[in-house]
Amino acid sequence: MYYFEQDFVSIKPWGNIGDRKNDGYIRSKGIFYQVYAPEELETKYYEAAKKAREDFSGLKKNREDIGDINEYHFVVNDKYKGVHPDIYRCIEGIRTDNNLRDASVIQAKDLENILFDHLTEDQIYSIVSYPNFNDMTRLEYSIISEVIKYLSEQPPKPTGDERLTVPPWEEKMLFNGLAGSDAETLLESSFLYVSQLDYYLRNLAEFNSTKLRDEVQKKYRQLCDEYSGRDLFWALVYSVAPKNDKNYVAHVIVILAKYFETCDVFEEPTC
């Protein structure tokens, strides 16, 4: 935020007065930020909404010291899982009840979009501290690990008729030499989880969501000249998986099922 907003000021809690319900602000614009970062936000949504209301009330009591409040932004550590609608409803209520210009919930993906869309490479480097900015392997495997962790916590859920029809799934299996193999069976069963994966990716920063797709596609292109059919499938699975572990492998296949469907990996049948 220091790089993104020149006038941003971070507030450090001080003694028994705390931070006066203000973790950071841009006084010249009347924009205030309050952070809530429990270990698991999913089970704390009621507490999050309550904290947002109480913190804003505390912020208003200090208006003489901080100036006008035009915007209020509640920053949460959602770990890319999304935010409960009650929290959004609470923030919108704060906006309308207090006639604010804007109020919002800022998630992890929003912070990453600020980082990668608005800051220079040198600024990004100073924050993220990559040894080589052009080598994003650490980030990519981190994304894959986070996706796998999320999927491992979700029950399978039928996706109904959401599957794309062009090209037909069975036709693509046959064209790529996967029909009748264990690869076809695993991709078919893994498709049950794709709706959860899609939900997660919608809440992931656009930069990271694109990097995940690009990384899987890059590994596919590296392998497709050497392997084909089920051998290509398994080579790709073990190339993408951060660990040779059955839990990682199972959920990497969910990722491949998504990108198989969208033709990002394996080839589209030709006429």
Side-chain angles (χ1 to χ4, degrees):
M1 288 301 296
Y2 283 123
Y3 289 131
F4 182 56
E5 285 282 0
Q6 185 177 359
D7 295 335
F8 178 79
V9 176
S10 178
I11 303 299
K12 179 181 179 180
W14 192 265
N16 60 5
I17 66 172
D19 57 16
R20 297 188 186 275
K21 308 304 179 183
N22 174 19
D23 284 316
Y25 72 123
I26 307 165
R27 182 163 186 164
S28 61
K29 298 180 179 179
I31 301 175
F32 294 81
Y33 301 87
Q34 186 67 4
V35 177
Y36 183 57
E39 186 64 29
E40 288 295 337
L41 181 65
E42 289 176 297
T43 59
K44 299 286 187 178
Y45 67 89
Y46 176 80
E47 290 88 340
K50 180 181 179 182
K51 177 175 173 56
R53 288 190 296 269
E54 291 177 349
D55 285 357
F56 185 81
S57 296
L59 184 66
K60 287 199 302 181
K61 292 179 181 178
N62 298 294
R63 184 175 294 180
E64 290 184 5
D65 297 327
I66 60 177
D68 292 337
I69 304 172
N70 297 322
E71 296 184 17
Y72 179 68
H73 301 285
F74 196 58
V75 186
V76 294
N77 181 20
D78 68 313
K79 300 182 178 180
Y80 306 103
K81 296 179 180 180
V83 175
H84 194 280
D86 282 0
I87 301 176
Y88 284 108
R89 189 177 299 115
C90 169
I91 297 300
E92 178 60 16
I94 290 173
R95 186 190 69 80
T96 56
D97 292 346
N98 295 276
N99 196 30
L100 300 181
R101 181 174 62 211
D102 191 19
S104 73
V105 179
I106 295 180
Q107 303 169 237
K109 69 170 185 176
D110 302 316
L111 293 174
E112 286 202 2
N113 284 335
I114 290 174
L115 179 74
F116 291 111
D117 291 347
H118 297 283
L119 304 189
T120 67
E121 285 194 7
D122 287 343
Q123 291 169 339
I124 296 171
Y125 181 89
S126 71
I127 295 170
V128 186
S129 301
Y130 289 123
N132 181 349
F133 186 80
N134 294 318
D135 181 5
M136 303 298 286
T137 301
R138 180 184 299 181
L139 174 61
E140 288 150 359
Y141 276 119
S142 174
I143 298 167
I144 292 170
S145 296
E146 285 293 327
V147 171
I148 290 171
K149 180 179 183 299
Y150 174 79
L151 290 174
S152 67
E153 298 169 350
Q154 308 305 309
K157 185 172 71 174
T159 56
D161 297 326
E162 296 173 5
R163 179 178 298 170
L164 297 177
T165 58
V166 180
W169 180 276
E170 294 78 10
E171 184 180 342
K172 188 175 179 182
M173 286 287 181
L174 185 63
F175 184 81
N176 286 278
L178 300 174
S181 71
D182 53 351
E184 179 182 29
T185 302
L186 289 168
L187 287 169
E188 185 75 33
S189 59
S190 296
F191 196 81
L192 290 174
Y193 289 88
V194 168
S195 62
Q196 284 96 323
L197 175 58
D198 286 338
Y199 173 82
Y200 182 81
L201 292 179
R202 284 195 296 271
N203 287 287
L204 196 65
E206 183 179 351
F207 175 87
N208 282 344
S209 181
T210 300
K211 289 296 293 184
L212 175 64
R213 183 202 62 203
D214 291 348
E215 176 65 10
V216 173
Q217 195 173 59
K218 180 179 73 174
K219 291 184 180 297
Y220 170 77
R221 294 300 174 196
Q222 291 171 344
L223 295 167
C224 63
D225 289 337
E226 185 177 354
Y227 300 94
S228 62
R230 69 178 298 276
D231 292 336
L232 175 56
F233 168 80
W234 283 112
L236 182 58
V237 168
Y238 288 112
S239 178
V240 172
K243 296 180 182 179
N244 186 5
D245 172 270
K246 65 180 182 179
N247 185 54
Y248 276 79
V249 167
H251 292 103
V252 162
I253 296 174
V254 177
I255 297 172
L256 297 189
K258 172 180 173 57
Y259 294 130
F260 179 89
E261 179 208 23
T262 56
C263 295
D264 290 300
V265 297
F266 290 93
E267 304 306 311
E268 184 175 354
T270 56
C271 296

